[in-house]
Amino acid sequence: PIIQSMNSIKSNVTNAHLEYALENVVEGMESGRSLQLCMSEFPDIFPRVMQSLVGVGENTGTLDKVFNQLTFYLERESSTAKQVKSALRYPIFVVIVMCVAVAVVNIMVIPAFAGFFEKFNAELPLPTRILIGISDFTIAYWTVILLALATIGLWIKYYLKTKVGRMFWDHKKLKLPIIGKIFEKALLSRFARSFALTSRAGVPLIEGIVLIASAAGNFYVEDRIIGMKTSIEK
């Protein structure tokens, strides 16, 4: 029986948040609610795609097949996420090293050379004077620079939480050199897996498109998928 199965699973769970969610799911089912409805109270644990497919499984008596398909889907999602992180690790490391190198050069190397050049009382080339000026400015106003960077960072964080900001960033990151292609292929892979999963479970095409859009993880791509739905309806 499903409630007995849920209790068995709950007793083997080590994550406190998941255990709490499963306790509430069991209590909800014991009070007569469906598994899908109980899962919908914890969207941070049970994605919308999972909720809808569980509903299909409950209505068609194929809940075991649906959970098997979800197992494969979630394992592939986890594997893809790990591959994307692995692919991005090197470029991110290179950018961090470059930033550290620029800071060290500005704060330590250029001032040492500036003192060396002053002994010759010679006219320095314009690029050299610009570098020395930037270095002097960085050393004199480093607190102002850090404060400005922190302010810009907070503003960007706030902007990316807005609908316009998310749309802009989710579109632009697909156009980034090198890593943009990684993001794009990961999204296409997720789209294909989600489409296969919903189709195999018997979800109607239009409803499946809505579920796939919500599972895209990219606001720009989600908007385009919803646009596909509108065209299909027409």
Side-chain angles (χ1 to χ4, degrees):
I2 189 167
I3 292 177
Q4 185 178 334
S5 299
M6 280 290 180
N7 279 320
S8 298
I9 294 167
K10 184 186 69 175
S11 65
N12 290 300
V13 167
T14 56
N15 184 284
H17 187 42
L18 178 57
E19 184 180 2
Y20 172 76
L22 291 176
E23 283 178 2
N24 281 268
V25 168
V26 170
E27 289 174 5
M29 287 192 294
E30 286 176 338
S31 65
R33 289 185 294 169
S34 68
L35 177 58
Q36 178 191 11
L37 188 60
C38 295
M39 283 181 163
S40 66
E41 296 178 1
F42 299 92
D44 57 327
I45 293 180
F46 307 111
R48 190 176 168 188
V49 171
M50 176 182 269
Q51 297 171 28
S52 298
L53 293 179
V54 165
V56 171
E58 285 183 301
N59 292 325
T60 59
T62 57
L63 203 53
D64 56 335
K65 294 179 181 178
V66 166
F67 273 113
N68 275 326
Q69 292 170 6
L70 281 167
T71 299
F72 176 76
Y73 171 80
L74 294 171
E75 285 175 348
R76 289 297 299 272
E77 281 285 288
S78 176
S79 175
T80 301
K82 288 177 181 176
Q83 289 173 347
V84 170
K85 286 179 181 177
S86 177
L88 294 177
R89 193 173 294 128
Y90 178 71
I92 291 172
F93 176 74
V94 169
V95 170
I96 291 172
V97 169
M98 287 174 61
C99 291
V100 172
V102 169
V104 170
V105 167
N106 263 313
I107 295 171
M108 300 177 67
V109 178
I110 292 178
F113 275 99
F116 175 75
F117 287 136
E118 283 178 2
K119 296 177 182 178
F120 293 98
N121 294 321
E123 180 72 22
L124 297 175
L126 179 61
T128 306
R129 294 202 303 273
I130 292 173
L131 284 175
I132 293 174
I134 292 172
S135 175
D136 292 340
F137 180 83
T138 303
I139 294 171
Y141 300 100
W142 65 271
T143 52
V144 177
I145 293 171
L146 286 179
L147 184 62
L149 289 174
T151 304
I152 292 169
L154 289 172
W155 180 83
I156 291 173
K157 185 179 180 180
Y158 168 77
Y159 177 69
L160 293 180
K161 286 183 178 179
T162 64
K163 185 177 180 179
V164 176
R166 282 184 61 194
M167 178 73 77
F168 174 80
W169 171 238
D170 284 349
H171 182 207
K172 290 301 178 185
K173 71 183 178 184
L174 298 177
K175 304 294 183 182
L176 293 172
I178 303 174
I179 61 175
K181 284 293 180 184
I182 297 173
F183 285 129
E184 183 182 355
K185 288 179 180 179
L187 284 167
L188 289 173
S189 175
R190 177 178 291 176
F191 172 83
R193 278 198 305 275
S194 302
F195 213 139
L197 180 63
T198 54
S199 299
R200 195 160 49 235
V203 178
L205 180 60
I206 298 299
E207 185 182 340
I209 289 288
V210 174
L211 293 174
I212 293 164
S214 66
N218 182 293
F219 206 65
Y220 175 77
V221 172
E222 180 181 340
D223 182 67
R224 292 302 177 270
I225 294 174
I226 294 298
M228 285 170 50
K229 168 186 167 289
T230 305
S231 300
I232 293 169
E233 285 175 330
K234 291 179 181 178

